[in-house]
């Protein structure tokens, strides 16, 4: 259910009046069909969340195409012109580099980078925020970015919530309880819900839930009996916390060379060609 300023909202009205794209229409439909209540003090906050969810999906698709390699922390690498590699395999922004420049370079020169799936999720989050808020605010809020595992700036205000309602733009987790101890990197896979029953996980690519589970099951220990599974939780940025910096409020739209906000995105999954 969707409530705005104390009133339940008909999702058809939002679709017809707000000109929503396919990702945003799916978000609204799933919110409206859910027994959970999605409540907003204003329509503008919901608009912002829908915009940022669309950017999360687009940023995940862009990272998939960037050439970013999968690796363990021990073998992580980055573009030394923008990032310093830490002893633990994280990336810390070099002095004199703007946060936006560091994030955008990952999408432009992904082949110079390698990391694991949790860090990839944080990279997607920063990129989506960059495209959703005013550029000057992004530089100020995230001036000292460290990319390492689930380390993130507190201004992202990430929240992990138990839920059965999964929305495009959510970060989800497929657990692999009987993973092979020799390959602990496959004890699970963090993914972005792309909508349409598809998910992006760094190292696994774009897959359906069934395909992701099969992928992880191939990485189990000998004699394993428990299957991988989707955990009933979703990690979401603090949309309300970021909303005051919305780049729509002053007619500003941040665009980088990696992705144009209004462009159509396609992805080949097996024999199917998907469009967003």
């Amino acid at each position: 259910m969707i409530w705005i300023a104390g009133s339940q909202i008909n999702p058809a009205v939002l679709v017809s009046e707000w000109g929503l794209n396919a990702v945003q229409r799916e978000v609204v439909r799933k919110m409206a069909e859910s027994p959970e209540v999605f409540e907003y003090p204003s329509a503008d906050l919901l608009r912002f969340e829908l915009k940022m969810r669309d950017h999360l999906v687009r940023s995940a698709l862009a990272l998939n195409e960037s050439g970013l390699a999968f690796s363990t922390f021990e073998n992580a690498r980055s573009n030394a012109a923008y990032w310093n590699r830490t002893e633990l395999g994280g990336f810390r922004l070099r002095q004199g580099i703007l946060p936006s420049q560091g994030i955008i370079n990952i999408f432009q020169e992904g082949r110079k980078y390698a990391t694991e799936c949790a860090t990839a999720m944080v990279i997607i989050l920063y990129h989506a925020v960059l495209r959703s808020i005013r550029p000057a605010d992004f530089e100020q809020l995230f001036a000292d970015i460290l990319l390492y595992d689930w380390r993130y700036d507190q201004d992202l205000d990430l929240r992990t919530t138990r839920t059965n309602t999964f929305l495009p733009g959510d970060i989800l987790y497929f657990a692999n309880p009987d993973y092979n101890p020799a390959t602990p990197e496959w004890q699970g896979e963090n993914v972005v819900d792309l909508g349409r029953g598809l998910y992006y996980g760094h190292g696994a690519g774009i897959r359906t839930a069934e395909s992701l589970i099969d992928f992880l099951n191939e990485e189990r220990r000998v004699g394993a009996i428990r299957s991988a599974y989707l955990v009933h939780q979703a990690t979401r940025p603090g949309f309300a916390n970021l909303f005051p910096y919305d780049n729509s409020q002053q007619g500003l739209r941040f665009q980088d060379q990696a992705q144009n906000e209004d462009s159509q995105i396609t992805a080949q999954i097996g024999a199917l060609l998907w469009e967003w």
Side-chain angles (χ1 to χ4, degrees), residues 169-246:
D170 279 349
I171 296 178
L172 310 177
Y173 186 66
F174 285 81
N176 191 14
D178 282 349
Y179 69 92
N180 186 340
T183 54
E185 61 269 25
W186 296 119
Q187 61 188 287
E189 179 76 341
N190 295 284
V191 302
V192 175
D193 187 328
L194 302 175
R196 306 185 184 187
L198 295 172
Y199 308 86
Y200 165 68
H202 181 50
I206 297 174
R207 296 174 179 263
T208 64
E210 180 181 7
S211 178
L212 272 165
I213 289 171
D214 289 342
F215 175 84
L216 289 172
N217 282 344
E218 292 177 359
E219 301 295 336
R220 291 181 295 174
R221 60 178 172 79
V222 176
I225 59 173
R226 292 179 295 176
S227 172
Y229 63 93
L230 175 60
V231 179
H232 284 205
Q233 66 182 37
T235 299
R236 298 161 178 162
F239 299 108
N241 192 55
L242 295 164
F243 171 59
Y245 312 105
D246 183 6

Side-chain angles (χ1 to χ4, degrees), residues 93-239:
L93 199 64
R94 288 184 64 90
Q95 186 173 1
I97 300 296
L98 292 174
S100 62
Q101 293 174 327
I103 294 298
I104 289 171
N105 184 256
I106 298 172
F107 290 80
Q108 293 177 335
E109 299 189 272
R111 288 174 176 78
K112 295 183 178 180
Y113 296 82
T115 190
E116 46 60 73
C117 68
T119 302
M121 295 298 106
V122 177
I123 291 169
I124 289 168
L125 282 160
Y126 281 127
H127 191 252
V129 172
L130 172 59
R131 302 185 66 231
S132 301
I133 70 174
R134 294 184 293 267
D137 291 323
F138 184 89
E139 313 295 14
Q140 182 177 359
L141 289 171
F142 307 111
D144 188 26
I145 291 180
L146 170 65
L147 301 175
Y148 175 68
D149 201 16
W150 274 110
R151 305 284 180 89
Y152 58 87
D153 191 286
Q154 63 181 2
D155 287 300
L156 284 179
D157 193 30
L158 293 188
R159 308 285 180 91
T160 298
T161 306
R162 295 286 300 175
T163 183
N164 293 316
T165 302
F166 305 125
L167 307 172
D170 279 349
I171 296 178
L172 310 177
Y173 186 66
F174 285 81
N176 191 14
D178 282 349
Y179 69 92
N180 186 340
T183 54
E185 61 269 25
W186 296 119
Q187 61 188 287
E189 179 76 341
N190 295 284
V191 302
V192 175
D193 187 328
L194 302 175
R196 306 185 184 187
L198 295 172
Y199 308 86
Y200 165 68
H202 181 50
I206 297 174
R207 296 174 179 263
T208 64
E210 180 181 7
S211 178
L212 272 165
I213 289 171
D214 289 342
F215 175 84
L216 289 172
N217 282 344
E218 292 177 359
E219 301 295 336
R220 291 181 295 174
R221 60 178 172 79
V222 176
I225 59 173
R226 292 179 295 176
S227 172
Y229 63 93
L230 175 60
V231 179
H232 284 205
Q233 66 182 37
T235 299
R236 298 161 178 162
F239 299 108

